[in-house]
Amino acid sequence: ANTPKQALEKFTRLLLFGRKKEALEWAMRSRLWGHALFLASKMDNRTYSYVMSRFTTGLAMNDPLQTLFQLLSGRIPQASTCCGDERWRGWRPHLATILANQTGDPELSRRAIITMGDTLALKGLIDAAHVCYLMAEVPFGSFGVKTDKLVLLGSDHGLPFQKFATNEAIQRTEMFEYCQRLGNPHYSIPAFQAFKFIYACRLVDYGLPSQALHYCEGIVASVLKQPMVPSPVLLAGLIRLAERLKLCDPQLSERPEEEQELEPDWLKNL
């Protein structure tokens, strides 16, 4: 077998005699892929495609480089439809490859990531699927719309509501909303406000009325920022709960007794 140095010397000699096709074949056989690809790129498109095909054929199917080359070729990578199986050794390297190598077609990258999320969701890997949906900026949907991909982070909205709307899932989604708000103070998830109201009701049940009232205030602030008309059911529930809890407002308790029956400013805005 030739050493890399000997292989390169023969490649150079073939080119010195103008035997480009032989040099190209020799470079591929000797795995001088950088030289082969560069030479092919200076020949014609068919030759370049042939060399690229030979190169990628030598890669393992679960190699993230396959994902990159398929994406650069304008295709949805195979990893997007196959990840989640043991033989693919995880989905993270493939997602990272897509995110780190944006093509001239951003919509292709987005579709590849969403497809990966759909594949992972079908295999029950909900957390992984939701990471993909977040990276693709898929909007949050509603529990009743089963075609929506993302409702509460880490929770499958195909489950019964009580198993779906857990405190942990609501807290995860709220943390995401909060982190987004650090960069954009006006950010909110419209469909999520109803779940925050449910969480506020649970806080009351747990004997935490002050925290529940604070939640109501936050929900009102988010609802009033939304361009769309908020749900009348949500507004009615908020008003009823806030009316029950307003005396737990420490600012209200510090007012003179005759003013304590007045509504807080944020509640008046409803």
Side-chain angles (χ1 to χ4, degrees):
N2 292 297
T3 65
K5 183 179 179 181
Q6 291 171 331
L8 182 57
E9 287 175 350
K10 182 172 180 178
F11 175 74
T12 304
R13 283 200 307 273
L14 289 169
L15 287 178
L16 287 174
F17 287 103
R19 294 154 65 179
K20 287 192 293 186
K21 290 185 178 180
E22 290 181 51
L24 185 62
E25 186 62 36
W26 173 256
M28 289 188 287
R29 290 210 322 259
S30 303
R31 305 189 66 80
L32 299 173
W33 290 112
H35 298 75
L37 287 166
F38 181 78
L39 179 58
S41 71
K42 302 303 179 183
M43 295 171 71
D44 57 74
N45 290 336
R46 179 176 295 180
T47 301
Y48 181 75
S49 297
Y50 170 69
V51 175
M52 178 61 78
S53 177
R54 284 272 299 267
F55 172 59
T56 55
T57 300
L59 297 172
M61 287 307 300
N62 59 2
D63 192 318
L65 284 177
Q66 286 278 17
T67 297
L68 174 61
F69 294 139
Q70 290 166 10
L71 189 69
L72 293 176
S73 299
R75 293 179 288 152
I76 298 289
Q78 190 175 358
S80 294
T81 56
C82 297
C83 62
D85 293 339
E86 287 186 12
R87 65 190 182 92
W88 282 86
R89 296 185 302 181
W91 51 274
R92 293 176 183 84
H94 301 281
L95 176 60
T97 298
I98 297 172
L99 290 171
N101 296 277
Q102 294 297 312
T103 66
D105 183 2
E107 185 57 29
L108 173 65
S109 298
R110 185 172 184 271
R111 283 192 289 114
I113 295 171
I114 292 174
T115 301
M116 183 180 292
D118 292 343
T119 301
L120 293 167
L122 285 173
K123 294 175 181 177
L125 301 172
I126 299 300
D127 290 339
H130 286 184
V131 170
C132 293
Y133 295 148
L134 289 179
M135 294 300 100
E137 298 183 352
V138 172
F140 282 79
S142 303
F143 174 76
V145 183
K146 298 307 178 185
T147 54
D148 285 342
K149 298 182 183 296
L150 186 62
V151 181
L152 291 179
L153 289 180
S155 192
D156 182 0
H157 62 293
L159 294 172
F161 188 82
Q162 290 301 323
K163 291 185 177 180
F164 160 72
T166 62
N167 291 340
E168 292 79 8
I170 295 173
Q171 289 166 354
R172 278 193 294 266
T173 311
E174 186 180 8
M175 282 190 283
F176 173 78
E177 185 184 51
Y178 171 74
C179 291
Q180 292 296 308
R181 195 173 289 143
L182 292 177
N184 176 11
H186 299 290
Y187 180 87
S188 71
I189 305 171
F192 178 53
Q193 304 313 307
F195 292 100
K196 289 167 75 172
F197 174 70
I198 291 171
Y199 192 75
C201 293
R202 291 175 182 174
L203 288 173
V204 175
D205 293 339
Y206 296 152
L208 299 168
S210 296
Q211 292 186 30
L213 184 65
H214 181 67
Y215 250 82
C216 289
E217 185 176 358
I219 297 168
V220 169
S222 295
V223 165
L224 293 177
K225 290 176 183 176
Q226 294 172 15
M228 63 191 75
V229 178
S231 163
V233 176
L234 175 60
L235 288 182
L238 272 172
I239 292 171
R240 283 198 304 270
L241 184 60
E243 287 287 351
R244 286 172 51 199
L245 300 175
K246 65 182 182 181
L247 292 180
C248 297
D249 187 345
Q251 292 181 346
L252 200 62
S253 63
E254 293 173 1
R255 294 180 180 179
E257 188 173 346
E258 61 274 11
E259 294 183 15
Q260 289 187 7
E261 293 299 320
L262 298 176
E263 293 183 343
D265 293 337
W266 60 267
L267 186 54
K268 291 178 184 178
N269 293 331
L270 283 179

